[in-house]
Amino acid sequence: MIAQTALAEAAQRARTHAPFLASAMDRNPGLIERLDAEGLDATLVWLAQAFSDASVSEALRRRKNGLSLVLAVADLAGVLTVDAVTRHLSDFADQALDAAIADVFARRTPDAPVQGFAVIALGKHGGQELNYSSDIDPIFIYDPETLPCRPREDPADAAQRIARQLIDMMSQRDGHGYVFRMDLRLRPAAEVTPLAIPVDAALSHYESQALTWEQAAFIRSRAAAGDRTLGQYFMDALRPFIWRRSLDFGTIDEIASLTRQIRDHYNKGQLLGPGFDLKRGRGGIREVEFFTQAHQLIHGGRDPALRLRSTLDALAALAGQGIVPSDEAELLAQHYRSLRTFEHRLQMIDDQQTHSLPLDQAAMDNVAQLHGLPGGAAMITELRTVTGDVAAIYDGLIASQKASEDDAAITLSNDPELLTEALAGAGLAEPETLASRVQAWRGGAVRALRSAAGRKAFEEVLPALLAAFADAPDQTAALNRFDDVLRQLPSTVNVFRLLQARPALMQTLVDVLSHAPTLAESLARRGDLLDGLIDASAFDLVGSVEAIVRRLSREEPGDDYQQRLDAVRVRVGEMRFALGVQLIEGRHDPVDIAGGYARVAEAAIIRLADCAIREFVDVHGQMPDSEPVILALGRLGGGALTHASDLDLIFLFSGEIGGESDGRRPLGSTQYYNRLAQRIIAALTVPTAAGALYEVDTRLRPNGAQGLLAVSFASFEEYQRSQAWTWEHMALCRARVVYGSDASRQRLEGIIGDVLHAPRDNAQTFADALKMRSDMAAHKKPLGPLDVKLLPGGLVDIEFIVHALQLTRHTGFHPDLREALAALTQAGLVDPTLGEAHDLMARLLITLRLVAPDCAVPPPASQALIARACGLADWDSLLAAVETSRTSVQIAWQHLFGAEPPAE
């Protein structure tokens, strides 16, 4: 219920300061009293039914008048937020359109259903943010195949007649007022097209001829009335036009340019005060909306969670995804509500679609007093903070788009001599050679630069890009890899526009090209990988496995199995690339990045296994009382992958052998799960149009390469207890279930725990481990002088020490080697230096997999990066620390096994 004092005071302000609301009170006697006695919800229900005896046209007008009054007084009384007001008005607009369309159809074709004609809402109606005197901005579409027509009536003529009658019913004023003014200028080519457009013609326009503003306008579009099936078909078909996965950053430039033009037009000589435009002025409503939509356009193609029509909902989502700082989003939301509230006050007075403060001081005071302020000066004071904050935040957006336009670091002539001089003056090495290369790029040697758009984008960014190369730690490597990237990319337009829009990315690109050949190769295959780095959150570690699974599980309506596989490859590629960049840029400890790689891989297994199982079950059904389980070993089991790691997996299933699936093509349990395992492996490994994903190694399964791909729990347990070699039990020390129900996980972990804790001959265990390490040293040589994985005293030797102690002492079991070493150290079984040695060499290996995959000595420029990643001051200090670590491992090996570690 509304407090009587607040309601009475609001009603008095409305009657005193708003002639339109005073007139509505006279037209609706007793309505405020009903609001007071029955409350808002009951009053709105009554309004929806109160005029059932009138014609549809009259009923809608009388209901709109009463609704405007009720919402205004409730708003002025402080019991309705501006969000609620706009939603009520928008909902009524939908209902009014539906009622009007139904009435038009009933009068034209009495027995026909409402089909073949739909209203697409845009603007504030589409965003469900209508204000008191908003126009609605619809697009009328029709389907010639299903639209009911009169005898001998052409569907196109029928659609135009329906449109005109609908406009008249909604917009014409009579003694009861009007429902909503309608503005159809947002339809395709409005100056030449009819009022209603065939759906396929509309789609053709947006797919081939649409302008940037039309893409932005459709962010807030929805099927609002009429044939919802037709409307939703249109919206689904239009989704790729609205939400483009690889954004053309020229779009954002155009939005920024449009804003500057609007500011120039509305702000000439205008200060905050009488006549100020709350919608278009600097720091006004439109700048909040443009700020929000620009970020939605950048990120929404990649993140469906951002595809929200409401400005306030979208701001909250942008903050929730870490794209816009939370304090910024909250401030913009708060000020947007304030601006919309004052806009409502202006419109309540005379039901005019105005956004400008009055020029007359008395009228200014009247607006302020309607709001409950003492006068216009107090209103201006309140608005000054609001518009100042909004303008400052929006300035940051458009400044970032304009910065690169103003920062041409090098003037690049087409004359070879002048070009060489400019490059030399900028500090670029071998300027003559580089000048020849630049001229080759310009001359069409690169396929992606042969189009006019490609050359234009290239020339715009090239000066700043070459200036960044001048500061590269390894100019030669960076420029050579940049040349490789240019020659392999199918298109470079968006890459260059992205660099122009986000100049800070140039330094990141140069660092990647200077230090990380693996990442450079990825970039050459997929230039859109840079898109994922456009906001600060890209440099945060990936979240939990559950959060990553949610991200990988986003899918578009109608996606098939292949599209789901492609989507996972795209998103996993983006996350792995971002993690690699984080390492190169020194944002996180390499060990933490290795954990991120492992979480991404585990999430990919879960998502792709789910997809594969869904497809498999459609054909073969489910296996009763049984389920698949996936066991990870090696680095994945330990939760610490490098960029190059493959996935060591064992496929198992619960339940008894001998059952049969319940699908239309049933299979026995063993055949069922072996085929399913093949399907899951293919989902993880087979390259698709979106690229490759992981290599999977299943040789650690029972009986190795000769064994079945998937075995039952019972078979696995029997094999581990009676047939497995010592080295297989060592591998089992790092086993971790990555797919399966909680019950199956617990059962399998119990089996593994029993096997690892079983009594064994310790001397034989040490002998087996020593022989296995000797065989490995003989057949698997170190890649290079820095291969701290395989060198004597390296990471493999640490693993053997840990697993031998775990198996013989029955303690320290943990898949994570760091945790296992900590437990063994706590138990007094290893020296603390062994854990320190592991961490140092693990950091080195993780970094080398990106910087020097061959484990050769990297160029001097990269040596400092590697030393920094490992926590050392310089390269010489790193080499000395590695030698000390290897020595400590060799001492531990000698102490445990009584012999030197096997040499390569």
Side-chain angles (χ1 to χ4, degrees), residues 753-784:
D754 290 344
V755 169
L756 296 181
H757 284 88
R760 63 184 70 241
D761 183 332
N762 289 353
Q764 186 62 50
T765 299
F766 288 132
D768 291 345
L770 189 56
K771 182 179 185 305
M772 177 63 187
R773 183 65 183 98
S774 297
D775 291 344
M776 181 184 290
H779 296 98
K780 194 170 185 179
K781 305 295 184 181
L783 289 175

Side-chain angles (χ1 to χ4, degrees), residues 516-709:
T518 303
L519 297 181
E521 291 169 8
S522 298
L523 193 58
R525 291 190 295 270
R526 281 189 55 199
D528 65 328
L529 288 172
L530 281 178
D531 293 3
L533 306 179
I534 57 181
D535 61 86
S537 65
F539 294 95
D540 295 337
L541 286 170
V542 293
S544 66
V545 172
E546 294 76 17
I548 301 170
V549 170
R550 288 194 294 272
R551 179 175 174 184
L552 297 182
S553 299
R554 297 172 188 150
E555 54 184 85
E556 301 288 352
D559 276 1
D560 59 20
Y561 180 63
Q562 190 61 51
Q563 289 168 319
R564 295 185 189 106
L565 299 192
D566 287 344
V568 171
R569 280 157 173 73
V570 168
R571 291 167 189 153
V572 167
E574 291 167 353
M575 286 185 274
R576 293 177 71 196
F577 184 80
L579 285 165
V581 171
Q582 291 171 23
L583 194 154
I584 296 302
E585 298 291 77
R587 296 300 183 96
H588 303 286
D589 187 327
V591 173
D592 293 331
I593 288 173
Y597 281 131
R599 293 194 296 279
V600 170
E602 184 175 347
I605 291 169
I606 293 170
R607 169 59 176 166
L608 291 175
D610 284 345
C611 291
I613 290 169
R614 187 192 316 174
E615 293 291 307
F616 197 78
V617 167
D618 283 346
V619 177
H620 301 292
Q622 294 182 324
M623 188 64 63
D625 302 318
S626 180
E627 67 167 312
V629 177
I630 303 175
L631 188 65
L633 300 99
R635 296 193 67 88
L636 179 59
L641 294 179
T642 70
H643 193 85
S645 295
D646 58 12
L647 309 181
D648 294 308
L649 302 177
I650 294 177
F651 291 86
L652 303 154
F653 59 92
S654 63
E656 300 299 324
I657 296 175
E660 188 174 81
S661 64
D662 59 9
R664 63 181 185 273
R665 292 172 58 186
L667 297 171
S669 59
T670 299
Q671 187 180 25
Y672 181 96
Y673 282 112
N674 275 268
R675 285 195 186 177
L676 178 56
Q678 291 171 341
R679 180 70 66 90
I680 294 172
I681 291 171
L684 284 163
T685 61
V686 172
T688 72
L693 196 58
Y694 292 104
E695 294 293 327
V696 170
D697 188 342
T698 62
R699 291 174 296 174
L700 291 175
R701 68 186 186 270
N703 294 307
Q706 285 71 47
L708 291 170
L709 193 55

